Structure formats: C-alpha cells, structure tokens
Amino acid sequence: RVLVAWRGAGGRLGVVHVSGSLREFTDPLGALLASPVVSAASDITARLTALSESVDLAEMAARSGIRDNLPEPRLVILGDFPHGYGTEDAARIVHLADHGPAVGTSLIIVGDSAGAAADPGVAVLERIAQQVPTSGVLTVSDPWTRNDWILTPDRLPDHPLHRASVL
C-alpha cells in the first residue's frame, strides 16, 4: 500500500532477505527496487552501512537548509531478522530506525524477536519497534503523516497470476 501511494515509486524499495523467503514479493516488484536484493549474509553490513551514511548525509543537508537534494522517501524491508545479521548490523538498524524517518527512510523488519535476550541490539529493536501481528487488527501511528490509522494485514492471493496482479 505504501508503494502504491507514491507516484513514480521506482527505486524507493530496499530489501534484505537472506533466506529468499520474500522472493514471491520482491520478484514482481523488481522495478521498484533501489538496488539488488541482498541475499547473502556477507552483504548485509555493506548495505546497512550505505543506508546509514545516506541517512546521515540527508540529515546534515536538512540541518543546513539544503532541502533540494534530500532523497526521495524509501522503504527498506529487512527480512529474516536477526538471523544472518551481526551485532554491528543491529546497531545500524537502531540508527536507521531512530534517524531514518526524519529524512523519509522507513523500515519494516520481518523476523523473530526470540533472540532479544541474547543480543542487546535486538533487545533495543524489540523495545522501540511497533509489533505488527500477521493477523487481526492494530492501531498504527504513521511517522510520515503523523496520523493514527487501523492496520488490517492483507493476505496475498494464493494463485500466482492473482498475486502478480495485486503486486
């Protein structure tokens, strides 16, 4: 829904998913990808570092009053979290979650918070992240519009042709 709301949303989606579990979602959305999907654990740190640096530069530009060169809003989906991510990666994700929304970078983290007790970075993310159920209804505070709205998770159709038409 977020991607549909953006006009000309090409290049505004970033995806990390080492297991390939999001392939049915990412393959049809290839034209919207800002860069290739990260599918190797060894590439996660480089992508998160690049995103963090981009957010930092955008923040500096905004503070300096240079608004013409701010990046377009983007959505980054981090799948399989925390599996395949290092401790430094969790710290970068916390940084992105904290600083990204102010410059139009939003995160969706898909994963399991069971490792939160063992990793302080994961524990911080579990504490600050809004938990979205896979079913049911949730009231969500949208950081872009500053409005509350009701989220009812959609399910993609099972049939591949129907799924492709939705995506």
Side-chain angles (χ1 to χ4, degrees):
R1 290 181 183 183
V2 171
L3 295 173
V4 170
W6 290 332
R7 279 184 202 227
R12 296 187 191 171
L13 176 64
V15 180
V16 173
H17 72 104
V18 177
S19 71
S21 61
L22 299 175
R23 187 167 285 125
E24 288 184 38
F25 171 73
T26 58
D27 287 351
L29 296 175
L32 301 177
L33 294 172
S35 55
V37 172
V38 173
S39 57
S42 59
D43 296 333
I44 293 173
T45 299
R47 178 66 56 85
L48 292 174
T49 299
L51 286 167
S52 291
E53 290 171 354
S54 174
V55 163
D56 290 344
L57 288 172
E59 269 190 318
M60 284 188 276
R63 276 191 234 128
S64 300
I66 305 170
R67 298 222 166 252
D68 297 340
N69 292 330
L70 291 180
E72 292 289 327
R74 65 181 157 199
L75 177 64
V76 180
I77 300 172
L78 304 172
D80 309 317
F81 187 79
H83 307 291
Y85 296 78
T87 302
E88 291 177 13
D89 297 331
R92 284 185 183 90
I93 294 168
V94 169
H95 175 78
L96 287 167
D98 190 33
H99 297 270
V103 292
T105 298
S106 293
L107 302 176
I108 294 177
I109 303 170
V110 181
D112 183 5
S113 62
D119 187 330
V122 177
V124 169
L125 284 170
E126 182 183 34
R127 190 177 66 250
I128 66 172
Q130 188 159 31
Q131 308 291 317
V132 178
T134 56
S135 62
V137 176
L138 174 72
T139 301
V140 177
S141 179
D142 186 334
W144 288 353
T145 64
R146 311 265 190 262
N147 292 315
D148 289 340
W149 50 279
I150 302 297
L151 171 70
T152 304
D154 293 330
R155 295 192 53 79
L156 288 175
D158 291 330
H159 192 277
L161 292 176
H162 293 148
R163 185 180 314 115
S165 69
V166 169
L167 293 175

